[in-house]
């Protein structure tokens, strides 16, 4: 068995008037992620981690922000395509550990919904996806609510 680890990171600016998508769930909030797709930083970080682990470059290579086909695309579609890419290379997902850094809104109560939605998209068990949330104690662009970040570590196996 071959085991590989990948790490992903994404950041998006938060602006008023944009929809706020996180973990495949639309969240009611005064600000949303500015992005070419739906701006779901959690999904983008997971995609980058999976692609990196399989040595398949990064999310921008496979899903460029210059593509009109991908404008406003649901990031769950990108996640499914990413999983298809690693499966085509002979890998399966072992587990994913992800952290979202945002000041507001508090997302603890919707993490189970995000886990369910993302596990369905990746066809993995709930126990194989951990999602955590943190703040930056009002420091930096996350603390001032100017942006949101997500980090993901994955284990894939062949």
């Amino acid at each position: 068995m071959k085991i590989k680890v990948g790490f992903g990171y994404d950041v998006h600016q938060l602006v008023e008037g944009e929809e706020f998508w996180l973990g495949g769930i639309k969240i009611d909030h005064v600000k949303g992620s500015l992005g070419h797709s739906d701006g779901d930083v959690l999904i983008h970080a997971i995609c980058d981690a999976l692609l990196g682990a399989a040595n398949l470059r990064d999310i921008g290579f496979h899903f460029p922000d210059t593509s009109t086909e991908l404008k406003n695309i649901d990031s769950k579609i990108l996640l499914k395509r990413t999983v298809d890419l690693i499966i085509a290379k002979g890998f399966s997902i072992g587990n994913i550990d992800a952290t979202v850094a945002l000041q507001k809104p508090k997302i603890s109560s919707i993490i189970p919904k995000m886990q369910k939605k993302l596990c369905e998209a990746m066809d993995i068990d709930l126990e194989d996806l951990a999602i955590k949330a943190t703040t930056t104690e009002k420091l930096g662009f996350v603390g001032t609510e100017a942006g949101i970040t997500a980090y993901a570590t994955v284990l894939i196996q062949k």
Side-chain angles (χ1 to χ4, degrees):
M1 176 185 292
K2 184 171 198 161
I3 296 174
K4 297 183 86 176
V5 175
F7 174 77
Y9 167 79
D10 195 36
V11 60
H12 280 274
Q13 183 180 1
L14 290 176
V15 295
E16 290 184 18
E18 293 289 328
E19 292 182 344
F20 188 29
W21 286 90
L22 187 63
I25 304 290
K26 184 178 176 186
I27 300 170
D28 190 32
H29 190 55
V30 295
K31 292 183 176 181
S33 296
L34 185 62
H36 185 71
S37 65
D38 62 10
D40 193 321
V41 295
L42 178 56
I43 290 178
H44 298 172
I46 291 170
C47 287
D48 253 354
L50 290 167
L51 292 166
N55 197 19
L56 290 169
R57 300 199 52 178
D58 58 50
I59 192 171
F61 177 80
H62 292 278
F63 314 112
D65 64 6
T66 54
S67 168
T68 55
E69 172 197 346
L70 301 175
K71 181 70 176 153
N72 297 318
I73 194 168
D74 181 337
S75 289
K76 290 185 302 299
I77 295 169
L78 303 180
L79 181 60
K80 288 176 187 178
R81 290 181 187 174
T82 297
V83 172
D84 288 345
L85 287 168
I86 69 160
I87 288 171
K89 202 164 175 184
F91 289 102
S92 63
I93 297 170
N95 75 300
I96 300 169
D97 183 20
T99 302
V100 178
L102 74 165
Q103 201 62 43
K104 288 181 184 175
K106 299 297 183 191
I107 62 167
S108 179
S109 65
I110 62 167
I111 285 176
K113 291 177 191 170
M114 290 190 287
Q115 285 174 297
K116 185 175 188 301
K117 183 75 71 175
L118 296 180
C119 287
E120 288 171 358
M122 293 183 284
D123 195 25
I124 63 173
D125 293 334
L126 281 171
E127 67 185 36
D128 294 330
L129 173 61
I131 300 173
K132 304 173 304 296
T134 190
T135 70
T136 58
E137 302 297 331
K138 299 187 179 181
L139 298 173
F141 69 91
V142 170
T144 61
E145 299 177 52
I148 182 173
T149 62
Y151 308 83
T153 302
V154 304
L155 181 137
I156 61 174
Q157 53 208 8
K158 187 185 275 192

